[in-house]
């Protein structure tokens, strides 16, 4: 059974139009690329999920940068391309060799990122020859640097391939992305006041007084994560008091996630650790490892009930902070 996190997707008319147009281009054989930027919780992943839902007739590859893998060269590229390796033999021999060395399938000195870039372009283009391909790269601020360099190169070279390459980058991250320079970008801000009001109505049980609601919207600047997570758990007195003098948004979220995790029994926490250790977010792999540790559905459901993660076609954490 697939469950979704949070309320229905709201607003974002401008962004939807842009993503729909990119999908249409890719469907018609005009490769397209976009870097979505914005602060934590503003809705970049939600936009990517929208894109995945709209990608009728596409093969969809979804990957995420993983902070703990930033120092591992080619780790993200491996996540993206491992399922495409049956096309490898159509590439020129030096490109095959470069990919094999990059992915640890052959011995050799570290490959030239330029050759790996050409090889990646070849793999994507060959894969998309059968059916259009959407590659959704979330949390791209955490890609290892050579994968970022290679994927940026691929983005600049996409041309007559039925490929959409979409990146989401947290804009307040340490390293903004020289690798993605010169790629078209879309900066996402908060929801409009009207959409924010609708989101609050849908996600906060009970009626919020109008002045409290308006203050929340103003103080969160329409950031949907802040609206949903904080308004949902703050007491009426806290809500009435607003956010003045509070720690940072990330700090407040961190405390709340920690609190929910600490409320779980030990086996469910172990399940979370296990899921966090799998960067590929592959449910089959996580279930196999869970069974080996004597964990199962009950533990996953406990974590799902606390809205810490969801397991559908992928293992999805509510927020990278949970991981
Ligand atoms: N347009 C929207 N309508 C309703 N809910 C939304 C919308 N955009 C985001 N949300 C909700 O807000 C929360 C945060 O959104 P999301 O995870 O997409 O943020 P993000 O920009 O990817 O943050 P991060 O940088 O931390 O990855 C999620 O629970 C999501 O469902
Ligand atoms: Mg995200």
């Amino acid at each position: 059974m697939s469950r979704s996190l949070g309320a229905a997707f709201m607003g974002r008319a401008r962004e939807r139009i842009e993503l729909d147009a990119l999908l249409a281009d890719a469907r018609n054989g005009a490769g397209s690329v976009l870097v979505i930027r914005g602060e934590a919780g503003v809705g970049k992943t939600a936009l990517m999920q929208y894109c995945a839902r709209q990608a009728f007739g596409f093969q969809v590859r979804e990957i995420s940068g993983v902070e703990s893998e930033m120092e591992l060269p080619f780790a993200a590229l491996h996540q993206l391309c491992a399922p495409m390796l049956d096309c490898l033999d159509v590439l020129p021999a030096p490109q095959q060799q470069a990919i094999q060395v990059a992915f640890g399938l052959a011995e050799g000195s570290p490959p030239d990122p330029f050759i790996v870039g050409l090889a990646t372009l070849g793999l994507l283009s060959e894969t998309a020859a059968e059916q259009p391909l959407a590659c959704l790269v979330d949390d791209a601020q955490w890609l290892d640097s050579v994968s970022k360099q290679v994927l940026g190169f691929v983005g600049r070279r996409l041309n007559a391939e039925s490929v959409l390459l979409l990146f989401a980058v947290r804009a307040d991250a340490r390293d903004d992305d020289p690798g993605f320079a010169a790629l078209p970008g879309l900066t996402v801000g908060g929801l409009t006041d009207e959409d924010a009001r609708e989101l609050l109505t849908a996600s906060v049980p009970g009626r919020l007084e109008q002045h409290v609601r308006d203050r929340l919207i103003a103080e969160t600047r329409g950031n949907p994560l802040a609206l949903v997570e904080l308004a949902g758990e703050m007491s009426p007195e806290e809500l009435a008091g607003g956010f003045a003098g509070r720690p940072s948004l990330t700090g407040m979220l961190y405390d709340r996630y920690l609190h929910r995790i600490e409320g779980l029994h030990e086996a469910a926490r172990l399940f979370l650790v296990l899921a966090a250790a799998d960067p590929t977010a592959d449910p089959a792999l996580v279930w196999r490892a869970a069974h080996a540790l004597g964990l199962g559905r009950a533990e996953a459901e406990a974590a799902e009930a606390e809205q810490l993660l969801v397991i559908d076609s992928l293992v999805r954490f509510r927020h990278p902070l949970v991981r």
Side-chain angles (χ1 to χ4, degrees):
M1 183 185 64
S2 133
R3 293 178 40 196
S4 69
L5 289 171
F9 185 64
M10 287 169 190
R12 303 299 194 198
R14 175 178 72 100
E15 292 83 355
R16 289 186 202 218
I17 290 171
E18 186 154 348
L19 291 173
D20 290 346
L22 291 176
L23 283 166
D25 286 348
R27 211 175 265 123
N28 294 326
S32 49
V33 57
L34 184 70
V35 183
I36 301 177
R37 291 189 179 83
E39 64 175 16
V42 81
K44 302 177 294 296
T45 299
L47 281 168
M48 290 217 144
Q49 290 172 348
Y50 167 80
C51 188
R53 289 194 299 275
Q54 295 301 107
F56 309 110
F58 277 73
Q59 314 170 63
V60 179
R61 287 285 305 140
E62 293 177 83
I63 68 159
S64 299
V66 180
E67 200 169 8
S68 59
E69 298 200 350
M70 283 180 76
E71 305 302 325
L72 305 180
F74 299 113
L77 198 64
H78 180 260
Q79 264 196 76
L80 184 71
C81 295
M84 305 174 191
L85 290 181
D86 17 335
C87 306
L88 199 59
D89 51 8
V90 304
L91 301 182
Q95 295 182 22
Q96 289 189 34
Q97 170 75 8
I99 283 278
Q100 284 172 329
V101 173
F103 293 173
L105 302 169
E107 291 195 46
S109 42
D112 180 345
F114 173 65
I115 311 283
V116 178
L118 291 174
T120 305
L121 193 58
L123 282 178
L124 297 186
S125 138
E126 192 60 28
T127 305
E130 287 167 23
Q131 191 187 354
L133 175 67
C135 299
L136 310 182
V137 182
D138 203 357
D139 291 326
Q141 71 277 4
W142 291 325
L143 298 181
D144 60 277
S145 62
V146 60
S147 292
K148 190 179 285 183
Q149 191 185 9
V150 165
L151 289 173
F153 170 82
V154 169
R156 289 186 292 275
R157 294 298 167 100
L158 277 180
N159 182 15
E161 292 84 11
S162 288
V163 175
L164 167 64
L165 188 53
L166 193 59
F167 300 100
V169 178
R170 196 184 282 174
D172 57 5
R174 282 170 276 178
D175 155 337
D176 202 49
D177 40 70
F180 297 147
L183 295 183
L186 172 69
T187 299
V188 185
L191 295 174
T192 62
D193 287 2
E194 195 185 333
D195 294 327
R197 274 197 291 275
E198 223 179 290
L199 181 59
L200 277 177
T201 310
S203 48
V204 183
R207 226 177 145 287
L208 281 181
E209 278 183 46
Q210 191 183 328
H211 77 277
V212 174
R213 191 189 60 191
D214 291 348
R215 181 154 182 195
L216 260 175
I217 293 172
E219 296 206 30
T220 57
R221 285 167 289 114
N223 180 304
L225 184 74
L227 286 168
V228 173
E229 293 278 0
L230 301 177
E233 291 193 13
M234 284 163 81
S235 67
E237 296 74 36
E238 282 180 302
L239 281 170
F243 288 173
R246 289 172 169 278
S248 70
L249 179 59
T250 307
M252 289 167 75
L253 288 172
Y254 184 88
D255 289 346
R256 272 160 213 267
Y257 291 131
L258 197 61
H259 181 72
R260 287 193 222 162
I261 291 169
E262 284 170 351
L264 292 174
H265 54 82
E266 199 175 327
R269 274 187 278 166
L270 183 58
F271 184 88
L272 277 176
V273 172
L274 179 70
D278 170 23
T280 62
D282 172 7
L285 182 61
V286 169
W287 286 127
R288 273 208 307 283
H291 290 143
L293 291 174
L295 305 171
R297 271 259 38 115
E299 285 72 31
E301 278 169 8
E304 285 186 338
E306 284 300 322
Q307 302 233 329
L308 292 163
L309 90 176
V310 156
I311 305 180
D312 45 40
S313 59
L314 289 173
V315 178
R316 300 175 201 269
F317 281 85
R318 168 78 171 192
H319 191 274
L321 281 171
V322 177
R323 172 173 241 149

